[in-house]
Amino acid sequence: MDIHNINYEVKEEDVCIKTLPDCIIIGVGKSGTRELIDFMSIHPNIVSKSFPYQIRGGLQSDQSEYSNVIHQMPCRYSDQINTIKADTYLQQRDKPAEIFAMNPKVKLIAIVREPASRLISDLTMLTKARKTIHNDRYISNSKDMKKRIKYLVNIPYKELPLQAYKSIYDDGLERYMKVFNDDQILVIESNEFKYTPVKVLKRVEQFLGIKSFFSDEYFVLNTQKGYYCIRTPDAYTKNMVCYPATRGHSKQMHVDKKDLESLKEYFRPNTERFFKLLGRRFDWLNCVMINTVLKE
């Protein structure tokens, strides 16, 4: 039995229907988007889906296009929030207008991570997946990582490939702020969510306007893995559900300390502008890159 279903009671005569998204997690990949949507999904008033589908056509979209979106959504009852995850929407320039045309009342959530550590994590993921990157090369060792970082910090940020541009947060936030009201946008810091998930999820509840549900009883710190997992009432799963070690939490490649600092310095102007737009700061100057091995 899962936490979501055992805590939800269908109202008499209520019908489960498919609708356009009420809430979109617009990024950022390698910051904890998967964990965020999975943790949110235990709430009885949230239904969710990871969503590769692209909302196309912007302000010119017609009802037939939106019907395709609705068709792929899970159904929800009248008191539930339909939530999707789309990791790159923060960086895609046309998305704010397209989403507004689809649903001007939508709620938007972005979870962000210290930019340099997010990029290293992204590069490591591609290495393990053995996918090609710029110039048809993948990073297979620390030497390749060093070359890749040197290449990235010597080009204008607007020319960065998407993999690195995902660590540029100010441009995307500004685009969304021009289209949506401030009370429609919630920005979450990755480390705060990792170490105090209930505190962050309570903030999500308030943001979405749903009942208070999240509490410590639904989460447990896995001391071996070093991160929180969902505590399940199902004894057959040994009382917790965690991601495998190979998913997003495994040991990363060696990175020279100087290379890490050059990345941080490269992203600093955009990060400072992001903080100014946001109206608050995150403690990223002294951020430790979890699972990344540094070499002096």
Side-chain angles (χ1 to χ4, degrees):
M1 299 178 69
D2 67 88
I3 298 170
H4 174 97
N5 287 328
I6 64 177
N7 285 282
Y8 185 74
E9 184 176 348
V10 179
K11 296 179 180 178
E12 187 176 353
E13 298 184 359
D14 203 354
V15 178
C16 193
I17 61 173
K18 294 189 175 187
T19 68
L20 289 169
D22 303 299
C23 175
I24 303 176
I25 297 174
I26 56 176
V28 177
K30 305 309 296 179
S31 297
T33 56
R34 164 54 60 190
E35 289 83 353
L36 178 59
I37 197 167
D38 285 349
F39 282 20
M40 285 173 59
S41 297
I42 72 170
H43 195 295
N45 296 107
I46 295 176
V47 293
S48 66
K49 181 176 182 179
S50 295
F51 204 58
Y53 185 83
Q54 299 296 303
I55 303 167
R56 305 183 188 279
L59 298 175
Q60 306 303 316
S61 292
D62 55 28
Q63 286 304 119
S64 64
E65 183 72 13
Y66 295 151
S67 295
N68 291 332
V69 178
I70 293 172
H71 177 71
Q72 298 178 69
M73 296 297 295
C75 73
R76 69 165 177 81
Y77 291 100
S78 60
D79 59 349
Q80 291 180 318
I81 301 289
N82 223 337
T83 303
I84 64 173
K85 178 177 83 78
D87 283 358
T88 63
Y89 274 19
L90 181 66
Q91 281 74 31
Q92 294 187 42
R93 290 172 174 79
D94 295 334
K95 280 292 171 279
E98 293 179 3
I99 294 171
F100 185 85
M102 179 188 69
N103 181 4
K105 296 182 180 181
V106 72
K107 293 295 186 77
L108 305 164
I109 299 176
I111 180 169
V112 294
R113 179 179 177 183
E114 190 282 313
S117 63
R118 194 220 64 80
L119 175 57
I120 296 299
S121 182
D122 214 338
L123 291 171
T124 302
M125 181 189 71
L126 288 184
T127 301
K128 293 178 179 179
R130 300 190 67 82
K131 295 179 180 178
T132 58
I133 56 176
H134 187 73
N135 294 330
D136 297 320
R137 296 186 60 203
Y138 58 83
I139 296 174
S140 59
N141 52 51
S142 298
K143 186 177 180 181
D144 288 344
M145 179 72 79
K146 188 177 187 70
K147 289 180 179 179
R148 182 62 173 169
I149 292 173
K150 184 178 180 180
Y151 164 75
L152 292 172
V153 299
N154 282 285
I155 61 175
Y157 85 87
K158 289 186 179 294
E159 297 178 14
L160 288 171
L162 179 60
Q163 179 191 47
Y165 186 67
K166 284 187 288 185
S167 286
I168 301 292
Y169 307 136
D170 58 317
D171 284 2
L173 179 61
E174 184 177 44
R175 284 191 290 267
Y176 278 94
M177 291 177 71
K178 287 180 178 179
V179 176
F180 295 94
N181 296 327
D182 290 349
D183 62 2
Q184 291 179 266
I185 304 171
L186 175 66
V187 177
I188 294 169
E189 200 279 318
S190 179
N191 272 339
E192 183 184 15
F193 175 62
K194 179 175 182 178
Y195 296 113
T196 57
V198 174
K199 177 182 176 182
V200 172
L201 291 168
K202 300 298 285 184
R203 199 180 306 149
V204 170
E205 287 175 334
Q206 295 177 350
F207 174 67
L208 296 178
I210 54 180
K211 71 177 184 179
S212 178
F213 174 79
F214 294 117
S215 69
D216 291 331
E217 70 176 290
Y218 297 120
F219 304 97
V220 58
L221 178 63
N222 186 317
T223 55
Q224 291 184 329
K225 296 177 181 288
Y227 54 86
Y228 279 87
C229 303
I230 297 173
R231 191 194 306 272
T232 171
D234 184 355
Y236 293 103
T237 59
K238 298 182 180 180
N239 297 324
M240 71 173 72
V241 176
C242 293
Y243 298 107
T246 55
R247 198 212 157 271
H249 298 282
S250 53
K251 189 175 181 180
Q252 296 182 10
M253 191 172 294
H254 288 277
V255 178
D256 285 340
K257 188 174 182 179
K258 289 182 179 179
D259 292 334
L260 174 61
E261 290 303 319
S262 69
L263 272 179
K264 287 187 174 184
E265 189 61 33
Y266 178 83
F267 288 124
R268 192 182 307 278
N270 295 92
T271 300
E272 288 297 326
R273 183 168 179 267
F274 169 70
F275 290 154
K276 187 175 181 179
L277 287 167
L278 191 61
R280 56 194 171 102
R281 303 180 65 85
F282 300 136
D283 185 20
W284 286 346
L285 292 179
N286 301 311
C287 180
V288 177
M289 294 179 61
I290 305 300
N291 297 332
T292 299
V293 180
L294 299 180
K295 297 196 302 182
E296 296 289 346

